[in-house]
Amino acid sequence: GASSNITVTHNIATFANNYGIQAEASSAVLIGSNVASDNLASGIALTAGSTGCTIQDNESFRNLTPDQSNGIYCFAAPGNLIQRNRVHDNAYNGVMIANEAGNVRAGNNVMRQNRVWNNAHQGFEDLYSTGNAHVGDVSFGNAWNGFAIEGSATGTTLYNCVAVDNGQVPG
């Protein structure tokens, strides 16, 4: 539930029946230098208005549920920093910033110097969220797009990002 000024570092979250690590309706939470893998939902999640949080230097991989499990997931969570994470081999996206259509509370997040690869859908997906910034992110070898900015995700910017060898789904 709602928490603030919490630090979650140097942990291993694996085989959870839901998110590996989640901050819900929280502020100023640091989630850093953790490993989240093989969880039923996303590896690391900020949800329900979590803001002012930092997700950095984590590795999130092999999170399991198709069409649901992202390496890092921000739903209805504005104004957060996601940096220097390694996100790979997830059943859906590497990093997903999302909200329901018409609700833009997931905006104004900064993604910086993340590496995402070999995810079953997009590398990065910004969906129904406005004003996000990607700076120096790298996306390669994902099944669909390297970067998917969609569903009225206006004001999203990409600076010095790299997307290579994405969308190479065997036919």
Side-chain angles (χ1 to χ4, degrees):
S3 299
S4 62
N5 300 304
I6 303 295
T7 299
V8 180
T9 60
H10 299 92
N11 298 287
I12 297 172
T14 188
F15 299 109
N17 196 35
N18 202 337
Y19 300 116
I21 300 169
Q22 179 187 20
E24 179 180 11
S26 299
S27 63
V29 173
L30 169 62
I31 300 172
S33 301
N34 299 289
V35 175
S37 71
D38 302 291
N39 298 293
L40 195 55
S42 298
I44 300 170
L46 299 176
T47 60
S50 290
T51 190
C53 300
T54 300
I55 299 174
Q56 67 183 24
D57 303 318
N58 299 286
E59 185 168 13
S60 185
F61 61 97
R62 270 194 333 253
N63 295 293
L64 303 170
T65 306
D67 299 330
Q68 294 178 18
S69 292
N70 304 284
I72 297 174
Y73 181 48
C74 292
F75 184 77
N80 298 292
L81 174 62
I82 301 167
Q83 66 181 0
R84 300 186 312 263
N85 297 286
R86 296 164 318 283
V87 185
H88 57 93
D89 298 291
N90 292 289
Y92 200 50
N93 295 316
V95 176
M96 184 171 189
I97 311 296
N99 225 10
E100 295 175 301
N103 188 339
V104 295
R105 291 178 301 165
N108 302 315
N109 293 288
V110 175
M111 277 80 41
R112 181 169 55 204
Q113 298 176 336
N114 298 287
R115 291 180 295 164
V116 301
W117 69 94
N118 203 37
N119 295 289
H121 198 236
Q122 326 280 6
F124 292 89
E125 184 170 10
D126 295 36
L127 180 63
Y128 300 115
S129 55
T130 62
N132 292 320
H134 293 267
V135 181
D137 286 330
V138 176
S139 178
F140 61 96
N142 298 288
W144 290 59
N145 299 303
F147 293 86
I149 313 301
E150 53 192 357
S152 302
T154 59
T156 297
T157 56
L158 283 77
Y159 297 102
N160 296 321
C161 294
V162 176
V164 64
D165 292 334
N166 296 289
Q168 303 294 319
V169 178

